[in-house]
Amino acid sequence: MSAPELLSDTALAVFRLNGQFLAVAERLARPAGLTATWWQVLGAVLREPLPVAGIARVMGITRQSVQRVADLLVERGLATYEPNPAHRRAKLLAPTDEGRAAVERIAPGHAEFAARLDEALGGEEGFAEVRDALERLSKALDTLAVPER
Protein backbone atom coordinates (compact mmCIF):
# COMPACT_ATOMS: atom_id res chain seq x y z
CA MET A 1 0.00 0.00 0.00
CA SER A 2 1.35 3.44 -0.89
CA ALA A 3 2.01 6.27 1.58
CA PRO A 4 -0.93 8.35 0.26
CA GLU A 5 -3.26 5.36 0.68
CA LEU A 6 -1.92 4.75 4.21
CA LEU A 7 -2.43 8.42 5.06
CA SER A 8 -6.03 8.30 3.81
CA ASP A 9 -6.78 5.05 5.65
CA THR A 10 -5.19 6.37 8.84
CA ALA A 11 -7.12 9.64 8.66
CA LEU A 12 -10.40 7.79 8.15
CA ALA A 13 -9.64 5.51 11.11
CA VAL A 14 -8.85 8.51 13.32
CA PHE A 15 -12.01 10.34 12.23
CA ARG A 16 -14.03 7.22 13.05
CA LEU A 17 -12.28 6.90 16.42
CA ASN A 18 -13.02 10.54 17.17
CA GLY A 19 -16.71 9.95 16.53
CA GLN A 20 -16.68 6.80 18.63
CA PHE A 21 -14.93 8.53 21.54
CA LEU A 22 -17.33 11.46 21.38
CA ALA A 23 -20.33 9.09 21.44
CA VAL A 24 -18.90 7.25 24.47
CA ALA A 25 -18.13 10.55 26.20
CA GLU A 26 -21.66 11.83 25.57
CA ARG A 27 -23.15 8.66 27.11
CA LEU A 28 -20.83 8.88 30.13
CA ALA A 29 -21.35 12.62 30.68
CA ARG A 30 -25.14 12.74 30.22
CA PRO A 31 -26.11 11.34 33.66
CA ALA A 32 -23.92 14.01 35.29
CA GLY A 33 -25.78 16.77 33.42
CA LEU A 34 -22.81 17.48 31.14
CA THR A 35 -22.05 17.14 27.46
CA ALA A 36 -18.83 15.57 26.22
CA THR A 37 -17.48 19.01 25.34
CA TRP A 38 -18.35 20.48 28.74
CA TRP A 39 -16.62 17.50 30.37
CA GLN A 40 -13.53 18.02 28.20
CA VAL A 41 -13.26 21.70 29.11
CA LEU A 42 -13.87 21.08 32.83
CA GLY A 43 -11.37 18.23 32.74
CA ALA A 44 -8.73 20.53 31.28
CA VAL A 45 -8.94 22.82 34.33
CA LEU A 46 -9.39 20.32 37.16
CA ARG A 47 -5.69 20.41 38.16
CA GLU A 48 -5.17 24.13 37.63
CA PRO A 49 -7.07 27.06 36.19
CA LEU A 50 -6.13 27.88 32.59
CA PRO A 51 -6.88 30.67 30.14
CA VAL A 52 -9.23 29.80 27.30
CA ALA A 53 -6.34 29.87 24.79
CA GLY A 54 -4.43 27.35 26.95
CA ILE A 55 -7.43 25.02 27.08
CA ALA A 56 -7.79 25.28 23.29
CA ARG A 57 -4.12 24.31 22.83
CA VAL A 58 -4.48 21.28 25.12
CA MET A 59 -7.66 20.17 23.35
CA GLY A 60 -6.47 20.97 19.82
CA ILE A 61 -9.50 23.10 18.96
CA THR A 62 -10.15 26.79 18.35
CA ARG A 63 -10.11 29.37 21.11
CA GLN A 64 -13.56 30.56 20.01
CA SER A 65 -15.05 27.08 20.51
CA VAL A 66 -13.60 26.85 24.01
CA GLN A 67 -14.77 30.41 24.80
CA ARG A 68 -18.38 29.51 23.98
CA VAL A 69 -18.26 26.41 26.19
CA ALA A 70 -16.44 28.26 29.00
CA ASP A 71 -19.09 30.98 28.99
CA LEU A 72 -21.86 28.33 29.20
CA LEU A 73 -20.09 26.57 32.07
CA VAL A 74 -19.78 29.86 33.96
CA GLU A 75 -23.41 30.73 33.21
CA ARG A 76 -24.53 27.37 34.65
CA GLY A 77 -22.36 27.66 37.76
CA LEU A 78 -20.01 24.83 36.80
CA ALA A 79 -16.97 27.07 36.35
CA THR A 80 -15.83 30.57 37.16
CA TYR A 81 -13.48 33.12 35.68
CA GLU A 82 -10.62 34.15 37.94
CA PRO A 83 -8.04 36.92 37.59
CA ASN A 84 -4.91 35.90 35.71
CA PRO A 85 -1.75 37.32 37.31
CA ALA A 86 0.14 36.76 34.04
CA HIS A 87 -2.37 38.60 31.83
CA ARG A 88 -4.94 41.22 32.79
CA ARG A 89 -7.43 40.47 30.01
CA ALA A 90 -7.11 36.66 29.65
CA LYS A 91 -9.00 35.40 32.68
CA LEU A 92 -8.41 31.90 34.03
CA LEU A 93 -11.20 29.33 33.91
CA ALA A 94 -11.58 27.23 37.05
CA PRO A 95 -14.20 24.63 38.02
CA THR A 96 -16.59 25.40 40.84
CA ASP A 97 -17.41 22.83 43.50
CA GLU A 98 -20.53 22.01 41.47
CA GLY A 99 -18.40 21.51 38.34
CA ARG A 100 -15.99 19.22 40.18
CA ALA A 101 -18.92 17.23 41.59
CA ALA A 102 -20.39 16.79 38.10
CA VAL A 103 -17.08 15.42 36.79
CA GLU A 104 -16.80 13.12 39.82
CA ARG A 105 -20.25 11.68 39.03
CA ILE A 106 -18.81 10.48 35.71
CA ALA A 107 -15.94 8.58 37.38
CA PRO A 108 -17.74 5.25 38.06
CA GLY A 109 -19.00 4.90 34.47
CA HIS A 110 -15.63 6.04 33.13
CA ALA A 111 -13.78 3.45 35.22
CA GLU A 112 -16.18 0.68 34.19
CA PHE A 113 -15.85 1.53 30.50
CA ALA A 114 -12.05 1.81 30.80
CA ALA A 115 -11.90 -1.67 32.33
CA ARG A 116 -13.98 -3.11 29.49
CA LEU A 117 -11.84 -1.41 26.85
CA ASP A 118 -8.68 -2.57 28.63
CA GLU A 119 -9.95 -6.15 28.45
CA ALA A 120 -10.94 -5.79 24.77
CA LEU A 121 -7.40 -4.57 23.96
CA GLY A 122 -5.72 -7.48 25.73
CA GLY A 123 -4.92 -5.84 29.04
CA GLU A 124 -2.74 -2.94 30.10
CA GLU A 125 0.10 -3.82 27.75
CA GLY A 126 -2.15 -3.84 24.69
CA PHE A 127 -3.92 -0.67 25.82
CA ALA A 128 -0.57 1.08 26.36
CA GLU A 129 0.59 0.03 22.88
CA VAL A 130 -2.49 1.65 21.34
CA ARG A 131 -1.97 4.83 23.36
CA ASP A 132 1.73 4.94 22.45
CA ALA A 133 0.98 4.50 18.74
CA LEU A 134 -1.57 7.34 18.81
CA GLU A 135 0.85 9.61 20.68
CA ARG A 136 3.59 8.76 18.16
CA LEU A 137 1.25 9.66 15.29
CA SER A 138 0.28 12.93 17.00
CA LYS A 139 3.92 13.90 17.59
CA ALA A 140 4.82 13.09 13.98
CA LEU A 141 1.95 15.29 12.75
CA ASP A 142 3.11 18.10 15.05
CA THR A 143 6.51 18.09 13.37
CA LEU A 144 5.15 18.26 9.82
CA ALA A 145 3.81 21.35 8.16
CA VAL A 146 1.23 20.96 5.41
CA PRO A 147 2.58 22.80 2.35
CA GLU A 148 0.70 25.99 1.47
CA ARG A 149 -0.76 25.93 -2.05
Side-chain angles (χ1 to χ4, degrees):
M1 189 175 276
S2 69
E5 290 171 318
L6 286 168
L7 174 60
S8 294
D9 287 355
T10 301
L12 290 172
V14 169
F15 295 153
R16 183 165 185 246
L17 273 172
N18 182 58
Q20 290 171 309
F21 269 112
L22 288 174
V24 167
E26 287 293 343
R27 285 193 304 273
L28 291 173
R30 190 175 301 120
L34 300 176
T35 68
T37 306
W38 294 8
W39 179 20
Q40 280 182 297
V41 172
L42 280 172
V45 297
L46 285 177
R47 289 190 184 109
E48 66 175 332
L50 292 171
V52 166
I55 298 166
R57 271 191 301 280
V58 169
M59 293 175 62
I61 60 175
T62 67
R63 187 197 60 75
Q64 292 85 349
S65 297
V66 174
Q67 187 67 63
R68 282 191 294 273
V69 173
D71 289 344
L72 284 169
L73 291 170
V74 169
E75 182 181 306
R76 286 173 170 73
L78 298 169
T80 185
Y81 288 117
E82 298 179 349
N84 184 348
H87 195 285
R88 275 198 342 240
R89 291 180 53 218
K91 303 279 186 218
L92 299 174
L93 185 72
T96 61
D97 289 342
E98 186 179 343
R100 285 183 185 282
V103 172
E104 287 172 15
R105 286 192 298 274
I106 297 169
H110 181 265
E112 184 272 332
F113 187 82
R116 289 184 18 224
L117 185 55
D118 182 74
E119 183 178 327
L121 292 171
E124 282 186 31
E125 190 173 314
F127 208 158
E129 286 175 12
V130 170
R131 181 213 48 219
D132 293 347
L134 291 171
E135 286 179 356
R136 190 169 140 222
L137 174 61
S138 180
K139 286 177 185 173
L141 288 170
D142 281 343
T143 65
L144 302 174
V146 176
E148 294 283 331
R149 301 237 172 198

